[in-house]
Amino acid sequence: MTITCGIDWTEDHHDVALVDETGKLVAKQRIKDDADGFRQLLSLLAEAGDCAEDPIPVAVETARGLLFACLRTTGRKVYSINPMAVARYRERHRSARAKSDHADAMTLANILRTDADVHRPLPADSELVRAIAVLARAQQDTVWNRAQLNNQLRSHLKQYYPAALAAFAVRGVGLDSREARAVLAAAPDPHTAARLTRAQLRAALRRSGRQGRQTLALVAQLDAACRAADDLAEAAAEAFATHPDAEILGSFPGIGPLTGARVLAEIGDDRTRFADARALKAYAGSVPVTIASGKSHLVRHRRVKNQRLAAAGYVWIFGALPSPQVKAEYDRRRDLGDRHTAAMRNVFNRFLGCLHHCLQTGQSFDPGKAFPATSTPPVTLAA
């Protein structure tokens, strides 16, 4: 008898459902999010026939938390099902929009029972790459938070303190720079920033006292975010340097320690994770999607993708543009009519194919093989 398990995850408890090959409920239980709850889950699986030789596969909706981490250590196949897919499956079987945690657990178990072949289990990444992923993702989150705070501060200063914006509108220096944060912390309003004050702004900015307090609060948050981003970047880079794939990733132009850590965090080091280079490209969102129906035939960029890997890819290609071969490929795409973003995505797509090949074969990046057309000097024909 084939058993599949579905677990509906919440913050403090989880609903577990086991179904057989006919979809009949075999067992159900609500467990807590602690060690006792995990032991109860293992006992429930064992009673249903779970063993080391033939472990019961598990489907979850949220691939995080202690329970999820413990499940991965058991060596069983764990599937992370997209919430949208779960919702669509639920609608196939219920006309009413009733919803419960137990019903969602059964839905997850039934998805594995009927459609396991169209879903991929989570990769068997090493402990080291999982540690890199924690640091790289935390650093990326902090960078995004820093950008949000920077925009808030910019919008706030524009209302009453435009001289500060003008002072730091210099290439390589922004509101999130150390210099700007130090100056704004010491002079959060025009009255205390004599060197930045303009005579024509004095009359309009006399009531900026409260706004100065808000500036101090925003600067404090921005400063904390910047420090956290720097600390996490250093930790992620150090962990990345110890991974065996760091040498291959580092051979690509535009990949430094931090970008390498972000890319490795998302693709992992399980060589069986992607069947081919196209699977990796689809995961990163660099290959287009074709929508064909009747006389309609559309090709557009992929929106459903790993957003973290796509963001790291943009930084990667931007850093690689000084390379002559990369710049020539980018210019070629622009000459074909691509906008800037599309050209960057096409170069990223080319790099991902090279990366997949290099990781599978253990080779370093060779620009001559990656861009043969741009590496060969043009032939001049005699008149």
Side-chain angles (χ1 to χ4, degrees):
M1 182 172 61
T2 303
I3 302 294
T4 55
C5 175
I7 302 178
D8 184 68
W9 184 95
T10 60
E11 188 171 341
D12 57 352
H13 69 268
H14 316 295
D15 283 85
V16 183
L18 277 67
V19 301
D20 62 16
E21 67 270 15
T22 66
K24 180 181 177 181
L25 181 66
V26 174
K28 70 173 184 177
Q29 189 170 354
R30 173 169 287 188
I31 61 175
K32 293 184 177 180
D33 186 38
D34 54 20
D36 289 337
F38 183 64
R39 282 192 289 267
Q40 292 174 12
L41 172 61
L42 294 182
S43 298
L44 192 68
L45 293 172
E47 292 172 3
D50 183 71
C51 60
E53 295 76 20
D54 188 22
I56 293 175
V58 176
V60 296
E61 209 174 335
T62 304
R64 66 173 185 269
L66 292 175
L67 178 72
F68 167 75
C70 293
L71 277 173
R72 297 198 68 176
T73 63
T74 62
R76 72 185 68 250
K77 289 184 178 180
V78 180
Y79 295 78
S80 179
I81 310 298
N82 189 291
M84 185 178 295
V86 178
R88 296 295 179 268
Y89 189 93
R90 189 190 304 122
E91 292 173 358
R92 286 170 52 192
H93 297 274
R94 303 189 193 100
S95 56
R97 295 189 176 182
K99 186 181 183 302
S100 69
D101 294 340
H102 168 63
D104 283 350
M106 280 200 66
T107 298
L108 287 164
N110 278 307
I111 289 176
L112 275 194
R113 177 179 66 87
T114 60
D115 299 316
D117 293 341
V118 299
H119 295 280
R120 290 186 301 175
L122 292 167
D125 291 327
S126 65
E127 288 292 335
L128 177 56
V129 84
R130 293 181 197 175
I132 293 173
V134 171
L135 293 171
R137 290 170 182 170
Q139 198 275 338
Q140 196 171 35
D141 287 339
T142 307
V143 169
W144 289 338
N145 182 45
R146 180 180 66 188
Q148 189 175 37
L149 289 169
N150 184 74
N151 290 336
Q152 290 179 16
L153 181 59
R154 179 178 300 278
S155 177
H156 173 68
L157 292 175
K158 190 175 182 180
Q159 298 177 22
Y160 85 107
Y161 200 179
L165 294 179
F168 299 113
V170 182
R171 182 178 179 85
V173 180
L175 291 178
D176 58 353
S177 65
R178 293 182 180 179
E179 296 82 0
R181 284 159 21 218
V183 171
L184 288 173
D189 59 77
H191 298 289
T192 56
R195 295 177 61 185
L196 300 177
T197 303
R198 298 178 181 179
Q200 62 268 33
L201 296 177
R202 290 183 181 274
L205 302 178
R206 290 177 181 175
R207 294 190 298 272
S208 63
R210 293 182 181 179
Q211 293 173 318
R213 296 292 294 272
Q214 185 178 353
T215 300
L216 285 174
L218 287 172
V219 169
Q221 295 178 58
L222 181 59
D223 185 63
C226 291
R227 292 178 184 274
D230 292 342
D231 292 341
L232 287 168
E234 183 178 352
E238 290 177 357
F240 171 72
T242 64
H243 196 278
D245 291 344
E247 184 176 354
I248 295 176
L249 282 162
S251 67
F252 281 76
I255 287 192
L258 181 55
T259 303
R262 290 180 180 177
V263 173
L264 182 61
E266 302 310 319
I267 67 174
D269 56 5
D270 182 359
R271 296 291 187 262
T272 64
R273 180 176 187 178
F274 302 103
D276 50 29
R278 183 173 178 81
L280 173 58
K281 295 174 181 180
Y283 181 69
S286 62
V287 289
V289 174
T290 301
I291 302 174
S293 178
K295 297 182 179 180
S296 175
H297 187 90
L298 300 175
V299 179
R300 65 186 188 190
H301 71 273
R302 190 178 296 262
R303 296 183 182 275
V304 179
K305 57 190 174 184
N306 184 314
Q307 300 292 347
R308 292 182 181 275
L309 182 55
Y314 190 88
V315 176
W316 174 5
I317 304 307
F318 191 80
L321 282 179
S323 172
Q325 294 89 348
V326 178
K327 185 62 165 60
E329 177 65 14
Y330 170 83
D331 291 339
R332 185 180 73 84
R333 296 300 313 188
R334 291 303 302 269
D335 292 339
L336 291 174
D338 284 356
R339 293 177 179 268
H340 168 71
T341 304
M344 296 281 281
R345 188 165 53 246
N346 274 285
V347 178
F348 181 40
N349 190 62
R350 173 75 70 90
F351 267 149
L352 286 175
C354 298
L355 178 60
H356 182 270
H357 175 75
C358 290
L359 290 175
Q360 292 292 335
T361 59
Q363 301 181 46
S364 296
F365 176 76
D366 185 346
K369 294 180 180 179
F371 303 101
T374 59
S375 300
T376 305
V379 178
T380 303
L381 299 177

